[in-house]
């Protein structure tokens, strides 16, 4: 049974947020990826369309999430299910860093509005 110790997690930063990756193929996962997201105050991630389902659970804080054009305010303890093909943006309008836990399947890709494709290293 593989155990990923907190000091072994790999940190990536993009669009003002930090992604601390725990479960990936590099750590022994065969099907799923999981990471902690750290979204600082004032961060607004660009809209992106995902090719895999994501389960986004907010651990701490509040966020504004726009999912397929519908704005949602989510609070600690809320879970957002993001289906493949959905367009998502995340904003932290508060004074505190929000923490999330995200799980998806290996192979996640995101496409920005300008057509740029991102293959997040924390999800592959």
């Amino acid at each position: 049974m593989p155990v990923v110790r907190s000091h072994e997690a790999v940190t990536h930063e993009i669009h003002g947020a930090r992604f601390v990756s725990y479960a990936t193929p590099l750590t022994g996962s065969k099907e799923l990826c999981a990471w902690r997201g750290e979204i600082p105050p004032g961060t607004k991630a660009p809209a992106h369309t995902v090719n895999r389902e994501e389960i986004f659970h907010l651990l701490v804080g509040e966020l504004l999430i726009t999912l397929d054009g519908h704005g949602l305010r989510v609070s600690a303890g809320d879970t957002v299910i993001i289906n493949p093909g959905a367009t998502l943006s995340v904003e932290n309008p508060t004074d505190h860093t929000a923490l999330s836990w995200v799980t998806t399947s290996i192979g996640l890709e995101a496409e920005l509005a300008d057509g740029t494709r991102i293959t997040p290293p924390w999800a592959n």
Side-chain angles (χ1 to χ4, degrees):
M1 171 173 75
V3 174
V4 180
R5 304 289 179 191
S6 61
H7 69 274
E8 298 170 330
V10 177
T11 300
H12 306 274
E13 293 189 23
I14 186 171
H15 302 296
R18 176 177 290 155
F19 302 87
V20 184
S21 150
Y22 293 90
T24 71
L26 293 176
T27 60
S29 182
K30 303 292 185 212
E31 296 180 13
L32 300 175
C33 293
W35 62 88
R36 184 182 70 236
E38 300 172 3
I39 305 105
T43 298
K44 184 171 183 176
H48 55 284
T49 303
V50 296
N51 70 330
R52 300 269 197 268
E53 182 175 66
E54 284 187 60
I55 306 301
F56 182 101
H57 181 76
L58 192 58
L59 299 166
V60 174
E62 288 187 39
L63 294 172
L64 295 177
I65 293 183
T66 302
L67 187 59
D68 288 333
H70 300 284
L72 310 163
R73 181 176 282 283
V74 295
S75 299
D78 293 345
T79 299
V80 180
I81 298 169
I82 304 149
N83 290 308
T87 300
L88 165 77
S89 65
V90 177
E91 179 179 359
N92 183 350
T94 74
D95 296 341
H96 305 287
T97 297
L99 300 177
S100 64
W101 184 261
V102 179
T103 303
T104 189
S105 55
I106 292 169
L108 175 74
E109 290 183 349
E111 185 174 336
L112 300 177
D114 67 2
T116 301
R117 288 186 177 269
I118 296 173
T119 303
W122 57 88
N124 287 283

